[in-house]
Amino acid sequence: MNIAVQVAQIASEARQASFVMSRLGTKAKNDMLLAMAEALQAQAPQLIAENAKDLEIGRQKGLSNAMLDRLMLDEKRIAAVADALREVAALPDPVGEVTKMWKRPNELMVGKMRIPLGVIGIIYEARPNVTADAAALCLKAGNAVILRGGSEAINSNLAIAGILQSVMAKQGIPTAALSLIPFTEREGVLEMLKQEELIDLIIPRGGESLIRFVVENSRIPVIKHYKGVCHVYVDDKADFDMAERIIINAKTQRPGVCNALETVLIHKDAAAGFIPRIAVTLSDLGVELRGDEAFRILAPIAKAADESDWHAEYLELILACKVVDDMDAAIAHINRYGSLHTESIITSDYSKAQRFIREVNSSCVMVNASTRFADGNQLGLGAEIGISTTKLHSFGPMGLEDLTTTKFIVYGDGQVRE
Amino acid sequence: MNIAVQVAQIASEARQASFVMSRLGTKAKNDMLLAMAEALQAQAPQLIAENAKDLEIGRQKGLSNAMLDRLMLDEKRIAAVADALREVAALPDPVGEVTKMWKRPNELMVGKMRIPLGVIGIIYEARPNVTADAAALCLKAGNAVILRGGSEAINSNLAIAGILQSVMAKQGIPTAALSLIPFTEREGVLEMLKQEELIDLIIPRGGESLIRFVVENSRIPVIKHYKGVCHVYVDDKADFDMAERIIINAKTQRPGVCNALETVLIHKDAAAGFIPRIAVTLSDLGVELRGDEAFRILAPIAKAADESDWHAEYLELILACKVVDDMDAAIAHINRYGSLHTESIITSDYSKAQRFIREVNSSCVMVNASTRFADGNQLGLGAEIGISTTKLHSFGPMGLEDLTTTKFIVYGDGQVRE
């Protein structure tokens, strides 16, 4: 059977299964997730054997050690994947929640009730744990899910999906609610992206080139985020100890992730007091500084920043630094160069804190906190399905609720329209 | 200047203006809308003169009388447009609302705050009132708006936009926050749909072919609804008087709109008692009935329905009628043929009412009420910007809130991530 026909078939069966999933009770969904966690651990040896095939092919292909490490599954990692499923089981079920309800003058009761989105497609790279994580979140929110993982992990992914599906079959849940596209050809992705009548949402997880490929080829809505150019603005009314602690944390605690700090903006009246000390501290921690002229006067160790530095998502121990005239100049810089991800002001001034919160329209806006908190788990959403830096549907870290929508519900007793 | 360059310029200036709009206070926005209403009425003579040009060209082109009527502006219609602006001014401002807030174990306070979407593009057909209505809703929600109306109304639309912009200029609000694409060529639309970096959302308003054209050519997210195939399910536990009243209202009160009733599903145990009477009543009201065999046995006046009738959005006095075995069969029919618009159950059975509300995942699900209530105004949202039958971002009638998104806000006192 050719790829186009087979993908259309998978999508069509997923759509049918989504009707069953949308009606599945909370207990049935949680029991399924807990049994999936058990099954993954019970079948770890088989899973590790399938994973070994991917690792062997990867080595032959010359994948980097970092790539091979991300691909690798062992008992401990499988236990972590199982625990992640148990955590999703423990989250509250968003489906059926009535988020508000009001009465109309004609006594109609009108409300909004959370319902699943329907069928969600996840397109991701070579991390087999995503197969279980993403599936669990989609299913818990009452959706059917179609997974398309990286070709490097195809044997591992098929094994994981097979284990999860066998649990579903045992519990009388249609296995079509969790499908894995079984081809590694790019055509499989392209066909998936054409199923606009059957798939409600596509979430790509991976590097910028994967995401751009998906966006350019999809007729289905895509929730995405390309990069995180996160800013900390150090106000003239900042507590410098706190500012230093937050900048060190945001830049160095895990520099390779999207919520790490990339640019510091410093109020000109804070410059003399703050720049010399932060330059020393950060240099001692191995951070390369790139500053504008005003910054470099006070921190000669810094290299000269050019226009590209203000746009840069370094993802390593490099920090762009700029002196600004005031908070408005900082906000203007963020509007111009930011990626709508996360920005934090360090200040003890009440009005400025409130104004920064109101006026900066990135997906996470913080006062006196590290940008590293911009994460579904850290913000209290539970497990995270992704981050959106586009404003439609979801903006910022996305949890279970973001895999649902709301319908209007109307309770009447015979009302007709005049 | 060529069209592509000029549209890109409009979009770029709209983006800049959107930053100003997002910070504009509620009073400033309301004052602007009220002054716009005044200005439209004060300049009615000039507006009517410009509208006369469109009407004359339309007559030469051979537009239908119905089209010419939709295009026509007079004092009374201009007053209605002005009143619509006053109603938008009276609506609560959604921007800045904190929809929830919670505390994390590390004492971070995390919340979600409503913010404008940014720049919204509205693409619509030949009704000049949309120019003012849609602009008012977008601006009130703190957005910039780019309008592209039908070519038949270009002089009227330019005149309305000019009046609104002159009010903005007087009040120190950047006029780039409200732009009208001044070309009638289709290229103007196509260029608009390419500005994915500058426009956040496209809302097409018009017939199915306009909407399909926009969806197929847009790189920007589109909120849309193609059609409304609305169902009423008459349960065996229905009050037949109520069912009849609701069906008559839903089918005949205004048959040409998307929330009008198109298909009635009748429980087999209600058939003998209900079908003969409703067949007579509806026929007397001039409604053509098309039924399945079971329906026609009890209502010989009905024509035979075929597969296409279950898909049909008639928008006229025709009604498809079908007998179903039970509520599950009714829901299965809705899932297969429905358009996710609006469905209503007529029943006095508590459990079935609750189950219908839960299990039917159309954008409006009702109990004992006419489908004609599926409308932003009727549901209490205030003025409606459109209806979405896709589940992303908004589902169902859309009001001011749907022109916003939420950002995360985080209040800390120096927290860093462990």
Side-chain angles (χ1 to χ4, degrees):
Chain A
M1 201 175 358
N2 77 31
I3 290 180
V5 172
Q6 213 166 328
V7 170
Q9 178 78 14
I10 288 171
S12 170
E13 289 173 7
R15 167 62 70 196
Q16 286 308 309
S18 76
F19 296 127
V20 179
M21 286 306 299
S22 78
R23 289 196 289 256
L24 209 59
T26 304
K27 182 169 186 310
K29 289 187 285 192
N30 291 345
D31 288 348
M32 173 190 75
L33 292 169
L34 294 173
M36 285 173 166
E38 290 306 304
L40 284 173
Q41 288 192 274
Q43 295 173 57
Q46 298 93 303
L47 197 43
I48 289 168
E50 290 300 308
N51 182 247
K53 295 183 195 169
D54 289 329
L55 291 171
E56 180 52 33
I57 296 166
R59 267 183 226 106
Q60 286 169 14
K61 275 200 209 158
L63 291 190
S64 70
N65 283 336
M67 288 275 282
L68 288 169
D69 182 62
R70 269 193 283 172
L71 194 51
M72 191 269 287
L73 289 174
D74 57 16
E75 291 265 355
K76 202 175 141 197
R77 288 194 178 176
I78 292 169
V81 171
D83 281 342
L85 297 193
R86 292 182 186 108
E87 278 169 31
V88 175
L91 290 173
D93 185 350
V95 175
E97 183 195 357
V98 175
T99 58
K100 39 186 168 173
M101 191 140 213
W102 59 93
K103 199 178 78 167
R104 297 289 302 151
N106 61 1
E107 307 297 323
L108 278 182
M109 292 296 301
V110 179
K112 300 196 89 171
M113 181 185 277
R114 272 196 198 288
I115 58 171
L117 282 175
V119 179
I120 298 174
I122 313 273
I123 297 173
Y124 54 105
E125 290 176 340
R127 295 179 53 199
N129 62 310
V130 175
T131 306
D133 287 357
L137 285 165
C138 291
L139 296 172
K140 173 78 182 237
N143 300 288
V145 61
I146 302 175
L147 301 161
R148 203 287 189 179
S151 56
E152 299 83 357
I154 184 72
N155 293 296
S156 314
N157 288 337
L158 283 169
I160 293 171
I163 293 168
L164 304 184
Q165 285 168 335
S166 67
V167 169
M168 295 165 79
K170 256 185 234 160
Q171 304 201 350
I173 294 165
T175 56
L178 188 169
S179 304
L180 184 85
I181 302 283
F183 323 106
T184 55
E185 291 86 350
R186 187 158 263 207
E187 195 189 341
V189 181
L190 288 172
E191 289 300 325
M192 204 173 148
L193 298 177
K194 284 182 193 163
Q195 306 298 324
E196 74 214 274
E197 306 290 333
L198 298 171
I199 302 178
D200 296 282
L201 170 65
I202 296 285
I203 303 178
R205 286 176 60 158
E208 190 168 338
S209 70
L210 171 75
I211 296 170
R212 291 209 183 269
F213 176 80
V214 169
V215 168
E216 272 157 32
N217 290 285
S218 184
R219 292 195 205 148
I220 303 165
V222 177
I223 289 189
K224 61 185 180 292
H225 113 261
Y226 290 125
K227 60 179 187 170
V229 181
C230 302
H231 296 78
V232 163
Y233 163 61
V234 180
D235 187 45
D236 57 328
K237 299 283 163 44
D239 170 336
F240 290 162
D241 290 338
M242 184 196 288
E244 183 174 281
R245 201 162 68 239
I246 287 173
I247 289 169
I248 290 170
N249 183 258
K251 181 71 247 179
T252 70
Q253 196 239 1
R254 203 169 160 204
V257 292
C258 64
N259 59 18
L261 173 64
E262 304 294 6
T263 300
V264 169
L265 303 167
I266 300 156
H267 190 290
K268 65 177 191 301
D269 296 339
F274 188 61
I275 289 175
R277 68 181 277 188
I278 192 79
V280 170
T281 318
L282 287 171
S283 298
D284 287 352
L285 289 165
V287 178
E288 176 186 325
L289 301 173
R290 300 191 188 168
D292 69 344
E293 211 180 313
F295 183 87
R296 293 175 67 221
I297 290 170
L298 291 157
I301 196 173
K303 296 184 183 168
D306 62 27
E307 181 75 8
S308 72
D309 286 295
W310 312 128
H311 289 287
E313 184 189 33
Y314 299 116
L315 298 175
E316 54 181 315
L317 290 178
I318 304 173
L319 184 64
C321 307
K322 187 179 181 180
V323 175
V324 292
D325 280 347
D326 54 20
M327 188 171 83
D328 286 318
I331 293 175
H333 179 99
I334 290 167
N335 282 343
R336 177 156 177 202
Y337 296 104
S339 60
L340 301 182
H341 197 295
T342 300
E343 337 292 350
S344 185
I345 183 175
I346 317 301
T347 190
S348 58
D349 184 292
Y350 170 81
S351 299
K352 283 191 192 165
Q354 293 295 76
R355 194 153 74 82
F356 191 86
I357 285 278
R358 265 200 321 273
E359 296 190 2
V360 174
N361 283 337
S362 297
S363 62
C364 289
V365 189
M366 304 181 169
V367 179
N368 296 338
S370 169
T371 58
R372 291 277 295 117
F373 288 113
D375 168 286
N377 260 305
Q378 295 294 322
L379 295 176
L381 307 185
E384 180 179 286
I385 186 80
I387 286 194
S388 168
T389 53
T390 47
K391 292 178 186 163
L392 266 281
H393 188 71
S394 291
F395 191 39
M398 293 167 62
L400 270 184
E401 275 188 7
D402 300 281
L403 300 176
T404 68
T405 188
T406 55
K407 66 183 173 191
F408 285 89
I409 58 175
V410 179
Y411 291 97
D413 50 10
Q415 285 87 342
V416 296
R417 191 153 160 195
E418 303 291 307
Chain B
M1 201 175 357
N2 78 30
I3 290 179
V5 173
Q6 212 166 329
V7 170
Q9 177 77 14
I10 288 171
S12 170
E13 288 173 7
R15 168 62 70 198
Q16 285 309 310
S18 76
F19 296 127
V20 179
M21 284 308 298
S22 78
R23 290 196 288 256
L24 208 59
T26 304
K27 185 170 184 306
K29 290 188 285 193
N30 292 345
D31 287 348
M32 172 191 75
L33 293 168
L34 294 173
M36 285 173 166
E38 291 305 304
L40 284 174
Q41 288 192 274
Q43 294 173 57
Q46 298 91 303
L47 197 42
I48 289 168
E50 290 302 308
N51 181 247
K53 294 184 195 168
D54 289 329
L55 290 171
E56 180 52 33
I57 297 167
R59 267 182 225 107
Q60 286 168 13
K61 275 200 210 158
L63 290 190
S64 70
N65 282 337
M67 288 276 281
L68 289 170
D69 181 62
R70 270 193 283 173
L71 193 52
M72 191 270 288
L73 289 174
D74 57 18
E75 291 266 353
K76 201 176 140 196
R77 288 192 178 174
I78 292 169
V81 171
D83 280 341
L85 297 193
R86 291 182 188 108
E87 278 168 32
V88 174
L91 290 173
D93 185 349
V95 175
E97 183 195 357
V98 175
T99 59
K100 37 186 167 174
M101 191 141 214
W102 58 94
K103 198 178 78 167
R104 297 290 302 150
N106 61 0
E107 307 297 322
L108 279 181
M109 291 296 302
V110 179
K112 299 195 89 170
M113 181 186 276
R114 273 196 197 288
I115 58 170
L117 282 174
V119 179
I120 298 174
I122 313 271
I123 298 173
Y124 54 106
E125 291 177 338
R127 295 177 54 196
N129 61 310
V130 174
T131 306
D133 287 356
L137 285 164
C138 292
L139 295 173
K140 173 78 183 233
N143 299 288
V145 60
I146 302 176
L147 302 160
R148 203 286 190 181
S151 56
E152 299 83 356
I154 184 72
N155 292 296
S156 314
N157 288 338
L158 283 168
I160 293 171
I163 293 169
L164 303 184
Q165 285 168 334
S166 67
V167 169
M168 295 165 78
K170 257 186 233 161
Q171 304 200 352
I173 295 164
T175 56
L178 188 170
S179 304
L180 184 86
I181 302 282
F183 323 106
T184 56
E185 292 86 349
R186 186 157 264 206
E187 195 190 341
V189 181
L190 288 172
E191 288 301 326
M192 203 172 149
L193 298 176
K194 284 183 196 162
Q195 307 297 325
E196 73 214 274
E197 306 289 333
L198 298 172
I199 302 179
D200 296 282
L201 170 65
I202 295 285
I203 303 178
R205 288 177 59 159
E208 191 168 337
S209 69
L210 170 75
I211 296 170
R212 290 210 184 269
F213 176 80
V214 168
V215 168
E216 272 158 33
N217 290 285
S218 184
R219 291 197 206 146
I220 304 165
V222 177
I223 290 190
K224 61 185 181 290
H225 113 262
Y226 290 126
K227 58 180 187 170
V229 181
C230 301
H231 296 78
V232 163
Y233 163 61
V234 180
D235 187 46
D236 57 327
K237 299 283 163 46
D239 171 335
F240 291 162
D241 290 337
M242 183 196 287
E244 184 175 282
R245 201 165 65 240
I246 287 174
I247 289 169
I248 290 169
N249 183 259
K251 182 70 245 180
T252 70
Q253 196 239 0
R254 203 170 159 203
V257 292
C258 63
N259 60 16
L261 173 63
E262 305 294 7
T263 300
V264 169
L265 303 168
I266 300 156
H267 190 290
K268 66 177 189 303
D269 296 339
F274 188 61
I275 290 175
R277 67 180 279 187
I278 192 80
V280 170
T281 319
L282 287 170
S283 297
D284 287 352
L285 288 165
V287 178
E288 177 187 321
L289 301 173
R290 299 190 187 170
D292 70 343
E293 212 180 312
F295 184 87
R296 292 175 67 221
I297 289 169
L298 292 157
I301 197 173
K303 296 183 182 168
D306 63 26
E307 182 76 7
S308 71
D309 287 295
W310 313 128
H311 289 286
E313 184 190 34
Y314 300 115
L315 298 175
E316 53 181 315
L317 291 177
I318 304 173
L319 183 65
C321 305
K322 188 179 182 182
V323 175
V324 292
D325 280 348
D326 54 20
M327 189 172 82
D328 285 317
I331 293 175
H333 180 98
I334 290 167
N335 282 342
R336 177 156 176 203
Y337 297 104
S339 60
L340 301 181
H341 197 296
T342 300
E343 336 294 349
S344 185
I345 184 177
I346 317 300
T347 191
S348 57
D349 183 293
Y350 170 80
S351 300
K352 283 192 193 163
Q354 293 297 77
R355 194 153 73 79
F356 191 85
I357 285 278
R358 265 201 320 274
E359 295 190 4
V360 175
N361 282 338
S362 298
S363 62
C364 288
V365 189
M366 304 182 168
V367 178
N368 296 337
S370 169
T371 58
R372 291 278 294 116
F373 289 112
D375 168 285
N377 260 304
Q378 295 293 322
L379 295 176
L381 308 184
E384 181 180 286
I385 186 82
I387 286 193
S388 167
T389 54
T390 47
K391 291 177 186 163
L392 266 281
H393 187 71
S394 291
F395 192 38
M398 295 166 62
L400 268 184
E401 276 188 9
D402 299 282
L403 300 176
T404 67
T405 189
T406 55
K407 66 183 174 191
F408 285 89
I409 57 175
V410 178
Y411 291 97
D413 50 11
Q415 285 87 342
V416 297
R417 192 155 161 193
E418 304 291 308

